[in-house]
Structure formats: structure tokens, C-alpha cells
Amino acid sequence: FTSEPSYLTRFLFKTHGDKFKLALSNVIVNMDYEPVPAETGFTDDASLQFQLSILSVELNHKQWSFTGEYARRKIHFKNMFVNYVPPFLAKTVGESYYLQLSYHINYKWKIVTRYDVLYQNIDDKDGSEYAKDFSALGITKPDYSRFAKDLTLGIQWSLNSSWMLQVELHSIDGTGWLP
């Protein structure tokens, strides 16, 4: 692999006292692969392009905290490991987001509720096309591995600035976060 220039940028705006925060982050990674046919068996040049953009917001007011984040991922494989990356996965756009609301009962106790969503491919949010495309290759892949939706309710107790105990209850649909 040879690395092309890659970029990481982040813009952050926050008010005095951190009552409001807004951030935009972006990562662009470009890599080229020039095989040595005698060593690898591959003869075609290949490339990988990856872009991740994240918008984050946080609002704090008295005992309440609201946090949200939206992320969009673009992945493009070109001639990359043809035996391992099927053509229908060569170019995908995924997204994820979460919304979280916290209430600080006092300086030791906090209640949290959160909703997370992940789609590995925004054009196939339920994973049905993914499962169908692999099935056509004679491979069984579950549709639920391409998305995840998670509703969380938790409570946190801070013993001191170094130790904290948190208990969470999750209701999860899909396994998109698991490898």
C-alpha cells in the first residue's frame, strides 16, 4: 500500500461555561495498492477511499444535558481484493446517529436515556439487499448484521472523580456494531 495525502479537520464552537458546543469533524483517507504479482498473485492496481464526517451538538442547562451526533461514512474500494470484497460492497455510504438526554440528580447521581441508530448502507437500511446479494453467491449473511437500533436507559453513580458505576438497560434491534 502507498498512502496518498489524508486529511483530518475539526471545527469546534463552544460558549463560555460549555453550555453549548457544536463541532464538525471530517476525515479523508486515500490509499493505493500496487501489487507485486510474483508475491501476491494480484495483477491489478487497487485503491481505497474512506471519508467520515461527524456533526456533534451538546446543550447543557442546569441539571439537563442534551447530546446528539450524526456521522456519515463513504467507503470506495476499487479493484480491492476482488475475491473478498464483492462488487455490491465496493462503494457504500453508511450513517449513524444518536440522541442522548441526561438528568443530573445531584453531583453523584445521573439518569441517562439514549437512542442510537447505525446503517451500514443508507440505500439498504434493513439489510435485505445485502442478504439477497450474498445469497446469490451461495453465502448466507443475515440482514440484521447491516443495521442496529438501540434504546438505552441508565443510571450512573460517581463515587469520586476516578470511580463511577453505571447500570444500563438496552433494547437492541440488529447487530450492525458487531464485527
Side-chain angles (χ1 to χ4, degrees):
F1 284 96
T2 57
S3 180
E4 295 289 320
S6 296
Y7 306 95
L8 171 63
T9 56
R10 183 170 190 224
F11 299 100
L12 173 64
F13 170 80
K14 61 183 183 175
T15 60
H16 181 68
D18 291 340
K19 290 187 183 257
F20 178 75
K21 297 179 191 175
L22 181 66
L24 178 62
S25 306
N26 195 53
V27 176
I28 299 173
V29 177
N30 297 301
M31 297 177 71
D32 289 326
Y33 177 71
E34 297 174 10
V36 178
E39 294 177 11
T40 64
F42 296 113
T43 57
D44 293 331
D45 290 349
S47 66
L48 165 66
Q49 297 171 330
F50 173 76
Q51 181 178 1
L52 172 64
S53 300
I54 303 172
L55 176 65
S56 307
V57 64
E58 181 178 327
L59 178 62
N60 299 298
H61 181 68
K62 297 184 181 181
Q63 289 103 335
W64 294 94
S65 293
F66 170 78
T67 308
E69 192 166 86
Y70 174 80
R72 188 174 185 95
R73 292 168 304 287
K74 296 179 183 178
I75 302 172
H76 183 201
F77 295 102
K78 182 178 176 191
N79 297 332
M80 182 73 66
F81 309 116
V82 177
N83 295 330
Y84 304 104
V85 180
F88 55 86
L89 289 180
K91 193 173 186 179
T92 59
V93 177
E95 70 181 1
S96 56
Y97 60 88
Y98 77 86
L99 300 171
Q100 178 175 300
L101 184 63
S102 303
Y103 179 74
H104 300 261
I105 299 168
N106 57 39
Y107 71 99
K108 288 196 175 271
W109 290 92
K110 177 169 74 170
I111 298 172
V112 177
T113 186
R114 178 179 172 122
Y115 183 64
D116 290 277
V117 174
L118 166 74
Y119 299 115
Q120 298 288 5
N121 184 343
I122 61 172
D123 294 326
D124 183 22
K125 290 183 176 182
D126 66 357
S128 60
E129 291 298 315
Y130 171 83
K132 185 173 74 173
D133 288 342
F134 266 105
S135 179
L137 298 173
I139 302 169
T140 302
K141 294 279 190 173
D143 55 2
Y144 56 80
S145 68
R146 300 300 286 170
F147 68 90
K149 297 175 183 177
D150 181 4
L151 180 61
T152 305
L153 181 61
I155 188 163
Q156 177 181 310
W157 175 63
S158 298
L159 177 63
N160 56 42
S161 62
S162 300
W163 290 92
M164 170 265 290
L165 175 67
Q166 184 160 329
V167 177
E168 296 179 351
L169 176 65
H170 291 261
S171 174
I172 301 172
D173 181 21
T175 61
W177 289 304
L178 303 177

